[in-house]
Amino acid sequence: MENPTRRKFLTVTGAAAALALAGTLPGLTASGATSVDTDRVPGYPFKLGIASGDPLPDAVVIWTRLAPKPLDPFGGMNDRPVSVRWEVAEDERFRRIVRSGDAIARREASHSVHVDVRGLRPWREYFYRFRVGGHSSSVGRTRTSPAAHQSVAAVSLAYASCQAWYEGFYTAYRDMAAHDHDVIFHLGDYIYEYGVGADGGLRKQDMAVEFTRETTTLDDYRGRYALYKTDPDLQAAHASAPWIITIDDHQVRQLITR
């Protein structure tokens, strides 16, 4: 079961870079926002998919990043903040919406949003989606964790690690997505900082020059995460269940070597 102390630590550390740039947590509230776009997005914005994770008995975090051109700087977005509608429901057709609201996707967070959805019921399946103007994301499936001392008959889980994008395809994630697990654990090395070959390694995909060099800057890391998240099977696995993620050396190498 998730420890609230760990959840607080992950929230704070994950937002540290955005805090340094923006002075506020990205995507939590529209208060103070200026010139917020609600429909002027240059193309379908959910090309990097959606995700949920870090489940508690009464809460789960949902995520997306607006990126109509995922491999371009800032995902092809301009510098204006964008209002993103989010909804959480008890059914896949959203007839019983239990939580909803608006988050602000800002450039300093590369137009990503993390919504900590509270007030949910323990060990329950939920569905979520995002909307921007006339665009809707795919529907994600998530689940809260059991309450303290709650007995559950069984837990279905999967785990993964060390997913070098250029070393092959993510067919294992396609299988994970098909099983509707209660939770998926990622044990580290979600990305690798090494340069990707000009032909995308085993993927045989032409790569822009910025992906052929080692990641050293924040923009480099954003681009590398975007590259990995363009994979449709990885997106499907993220949308199928909440993830709990451990950070390993390749995610923090730049911090260690400074």
Side-chain angles (χ1 to χ4, degrees):
M1 190 178 301
E2 187 67 14
N3 186 324
T5 301
R6 174 183 176 275
R7 183 190 187 88
K8 182 177 180 181
F9 169 78
L10 292 175
T11 301
V12 172
T13 54
L19 278 167
L21 291 170
T24 184
L25 283 172
L28 295 185
T29 176
S31 62
T34 59
S35 302
V36 176
D37 281 341
T38 57
D39 54 8
R40 291 190 294 174
V41 178
Y44 183 70
F46 301 110
K47 291 183 179 179
L48 292 179
I50 59 177
S52 71
D54 209 18
L56 294 177
D58 66 342
V60 70
V61 176
I62 59 175
W63 170 93
T64 194
R65 178 186 167 195
L66 307 183
K69 298 179 180 179
L71 302 185
D72 284 5
F74 293 97
M77 296 288 290
N78 61 30
D79 60 357
R80 292 166 65 90
V82 177
S83 180
V84 181
R85 184 69 177 172
W86 58 269
E87 297 174 327
V88 175
E90 293 179 337
D91 66 300
E92 197 168 3
R93 300 185 70 177
F94 288 80
R95 291 174 174 171
R96 300 187 303 277
I97 296 174
V98 294
R99 292 291 183 271
S100 62
D102 296 288
I104 302 301
R106 295 184 171 88
R107 183 177 176 87
E108 57 266 23
S110 203
H111 288 93
S112 63
V113 294
H114 296 76
V115 182
D116 195 354
V117 184
R118 297 277 176 165
L120 303 178
R121 303 174 70 180
W123 201 234
R124 292 298 182 102
E125 181 182 68
Y126 290 96
F127 299 88
Y128 64 97
R129 65 185 177 188
F130 299 90
R131 293 180 176 179
V132 174
H135 302 290
S136 294
S137 73
S138 58
V139 173
R141 172 186 171 274
T142 192
R143 178 181 282 276
T144 52
S145 66
H149 310 299
Q150 181 178 356
S151 177
V152 297
V155 177
S156 173
L157 63 87
Y159 67 88
S161 66
C162 306
Q163 54 181 36
W165 179 89
Y166 46 82
E167 292 289 354
F169 294 90
Y170 290 162
T171 51
Y173 282 130
R174 187 187 311 166
D175 183 71
M176 285 186 195
H179 283 83
D180 287 342
H181 293 295
D182 297 320
V183 64
I184 295 175
F185 292 90
H186 197 284
L187 307 181
D189 294 347
Y190 190 98
I191 64 165
Y192 286 88
E193 75 279 4
Y194 313 125
V196 178
D199 63 351
L202 294 179
R203 300 219 176 200
K204 302 304 178 186
Q205 176 178 322
D206 291 339
M207 305 303 302
V209 65
E210 56 264 30
F211 293 102
T212 64
R213 59 176 180 255
E214 184 176 350
T215 55
T216 58
T217 69
L218 176 59
D219 287 341
D220 288 342
Y221 275 93
R222 283 171 169 167
R224 191 60 54 89
Y225 275 100
L227 176 65
Y228 278 51
K229 284 183 176 291
T230 57
D231 185 278
D233 294 327
L234 179 58
Q235 288 189 22
H238 272 297
S240 70
W243 285 41
I244 296 175
I245 296 175
T246 296
I247 297 173
D248 206 350
D249 57 334
H250 294 283
Q251 290 97 321
V252 298
R253 181 180 181 277
Q254 180 65 13
L255 297 176
I256 293 172
T257 55
R258 278 183 177 175

